[in-house]
Amino acid sequence: MSFKIKTLVLSFGIALTAWAQASQASSLYFSSVTLMNVGAVFEISILGDFSVGEPLAGGTIDLGYNGDKLQINSVTVAPVWDFLPRSGSQTASGTNSVWSGIGFDVWDSPYQSGNGILIATVNLTALGDGNPKLEFLGSTEVFDTTMLLVPTLIATEITVAAPAG
């Protein structure tokens, strides 16, 4: 192989590695949801992706949802978050409902890194048909071992069907 071709292959490999590392940005998202019927009680997990370079140490999450279509019954913070886990509470109602203050932090457990890290489980009831969203209104104090993170926040749309009549 000539020097030019080896250099081109090496340059491409370095660029591809840099792109792969850049694409591993931190994010918070919900587990997938299937079609729900009105009156159904179901759970959605709050998950996170965090690279080895940005291991997750803790934070606080606020959720937004349409309280006419969804009811949050409870939030359970995953047991790995063993320092000041807070389930939060509802602070508003109606179409612009807010569940705020879901808090999680590690104390003597190892910091969490990788994909699909369970942060909390949200228990809901489907109240009305349609396509209500469950979304992150914000994440404050989300931090890794060295600095504050600004993760990408990914909403989910839930399809709720009226009971067959």
Side-chain angles (χ1 to χ4, degrees), residues 28-31 64 133-136 152-158:
L28 293 175
Y29 56 96
F30 298 98
S31 59
K133 278 189 178 179
L134 182 62
E135 59 189 336
F136 297 101
T152 301
L153 304 173
I154 305 167
T156 192
E157 189 171 89
I158 300 165

Side-chain angles (χ1 to χ4, degrees), residues 48-59 80-83 104-115 117-119 141-147 149:
D49 288 349
F50 299 91
S51 69
V52 174
E54 293 180 333
L56 183 63
V80 70
W81 309 106
D82 62 356
F83 181 62
F104 55 100
D105 195 356
V106 295
W107 183 252
D108 54 7
S109 296
Y111 297 113
Q112 304 297 306
S113 63
N115 295 329
I117 297 169
L118 178 62
I119 295 171
E141 303 171 16
V142 173
F143 53 91
D144 68 7
T145 56
T146 58
M147 64 179 194
L149 293 175

Side-chain angles (χ1 to χ4, degrees), residues 125-138:
T125 300
L127 299 178
D129 62 343
N131 297 99
K133 278 189 178 179
L134 182 62
E135 59 189 336
F136 297 101
L137 295 180

Side-chain angles (χ1 to χ4, degrees), residues 23-85:
S23 67
Q24 294 177 351
S26 57
S27 60
L28 293 175
Y29 56 96
F30 298 98
S31 59
S32 62
V33 179
T34 57
L35 173 69
M36 294 294 135
N37 290 318
V38 172
V41 177
F42 60 102
E43 291 185 340
I44 296 178
S45 296
I46 299 174
L47 304 171
D49 288 349
F50 299 91
S51 69
V52 174
E54 293 180 333
L56 183 63
T60 305
I61 300 170
D62 297 337
L63 302 179
Y65 61 101
N66 181 339
D68 294 338
K69 305 282 184 180
L70 297 173
Q71 172 183 309
I72 294 181
N73 303 316
S74 65
V75 175
T76 305
V77 178
V80 70
W81 309 106
D82 62 356
F83 181 62
L84 296 178

